[in-house]
Amino acid sequence: MTIKRYFNSNLEDMMEAGVHFGHGSKKWNPKMAPYISAKHKSIHITNLTRTTRFLLEARNLVFNAASSRKNFLIVGTKNKIADLVASASIRARCHYVNKKWLRGMLTNWSTTETRLKKFRNLRAEQKMAKFNCLQKRDTERLKKELSTLQTYLGGIKYMTELPDIVIILDHQEKYVALRECVILGIPTICLIDTNCDPDLADISIPANNDAISSIRLVLNQFVYEICKGRLRNINNK
């Protein structure tokens, strides 16, 4: 499916993508009761009408923010969506974290800035072949350090300040990231499954955040809005 198709997705598209499938009824958060429409074979079914409503609210926020040249950070670290998060973020020119969230990445921004500066310096030295002038032991040590920094900071290597909006695709997995945003007052958009707390994010979108097809459908809608908003900003100059 194209991004345009995802943008125009209806309830049928959502059902096809499995957006409505929640967790087992024994693994649910009672706060999610208003967002659950039924239970089928011990599986909670998300109310897609509410999903559509909150998704539209989130899309409008994202579009307006992109039109105002705001910066986005997309967070999704489950192994099965790591490549999806990276490709979508690059397409929308967003920062992203698709591996491990380093505790204090935002709340201890001064330390993160130091790490990013080190990362950029090592990348520059490698490109200029400065590693070749060192002893083999030192070269291997710097290459290993650079590889580690690339893994954890590669998606935010161009980030020079705190993001304006953070989109979190795996709410439970990235609870620490969400708490950091709450502490700093950074607006958040989260995909929340039936085992999540819907009160923590600024906009919580009830949806299956385990299925790749579900995450892809929602994420591509955000990419569409960000690209459209940035194009509007360019055209208005």
Side-chain angles (χ1 to χ4, degrees):
M1 291 184 182
T2 64
I3 294 178
K4 186 71 173 179
R5 170 72 186 280
Y6 276 110
F7 174 69
N8 291 325
S9 64
N10 51 32
L11 295 181
E12 184 179 343
D13 295 322
M14 289 186 178
M15 293 187 70
E16 182 181 337
V19 175
H20 58 301
F21 288 123
H23 281 270
S25 56
K26 293 183 179 180
K27 297 180 180 179
W28 76 304
N29 189 319
K31 289 184 179 181
M32 287 297 295
Y35 309 100
I36 295 172
S37 61
K39 183 170 68 174
H40 178 66
K41 295 183 179 179
S42 298
I43 299 294
H44 276 138
I45 305 299
T46 300
N47 186 327
L48 290 183
T49 300
R50 289 216 162 192
T51 299
T52 302
R53 184 182 119 201
F54 288 111
L55 183 55
L56 177 60
E57 182 182 347
R59 282 185 357 211
N60 289 336
L61 173 64
V62 166
F63 172 75
N64 291 328
S67 300
S68 301
R69 303 182 66 181
K70 301 296 185 181
N71 293 314
F72 298 86
L73 173 63
I74 300 176
V75 182
T77 61
K78 292 178 181 176
N79 289 334
K80 60 185 177 182
I81 65 169
D83 292 340
L84 173 63
V85 170
S87 60
S89 300
I90 292 170
R91 197 161 69 244
R93 290 181 291 126
C94 296
H95 309 297
Y96 66 92
V97 175
N98 69 335
K99 298 296 182 181
K100 180 180 178 180
W101 178 271
L102 300 179
R103 187 178 294 272
M105 184 177 289
L106 300 182
T107 51
N108 197 359
W109 179 243
S110 59
T111 299
T112 301
E113 281 187 308
T114 300
R115 290 173 175 168
L116 287 171
K117 183 177 180 180
K118 175 71 171 179
F119 181 30
R120 288 191 286 264
N121 287 340
L122 285 177
R123 290 180 75 237
E125 289 177 6
Q126 185 182 49
K127 287 182 179 180
M128 292 186 290
K130 287 189 176 182
F131 286 5
N132 298 336
C133 302
L134 302 174
Q135 293 184 0
K136 183 177 179 180
R137 180 180 59 186
D138 294 330
T139 298
E140 292 302 316
R141 175 178 58 80
L142 290 177
K143 284 184 176 179
K144 183 177 180 180
E145 182 177 2
L146 182 57
S147 176
T148 300
L149 290 170
Q150 175 62 43
T151 298
Y152 299 124
L153 301 179
I156 64 168
K157 58 179 175 287
Y158 300 119
M159 196 161 78
T160 57
E161 59 186 2
L162 291 173
D164 297 300
I165 294 178
V166 177
I167 299 171
I168 300 177
L169 303 174
D170 40 5
H171 177 290
Q172 289 292 83
E173 294 285 331
K174 292 283 86 58
Y175 179 77
V176 174
L178 179 56
R179 291 300 303 171
E180 290 192 29
C181 292
V182 171
I183 290 171
L184 295 170
I186 300 173
T188 54
I189 299 171
C190 288
L191 263 65
I192 54 166
D193 216 321
T194 54
N195 64 334
C196 298
D197 183 346
D199 297 337
L200 297 177
D202 291 282
I203 299 180
S204 294
I205 303 171
N208 183 344
N209 63 9
D210 289 316
I212 295 177
S213 55
S214 174
I215 295 173
R216 182 184 292 113
L217 185 147
V218 176
L219 183 56
N220 276 340
Q221 292 198 30
F222 289 146
V223 169
Y224 180 89
E225 296 294 349
I226 292 171
C227 293
K228 187 174 68 168
R230 287 186 167 146
L231 181 60
R232 179 188 182 188
N233 176 267
I234 292 173
N235 292 336
N236 288 340
K237 286 185 177 180

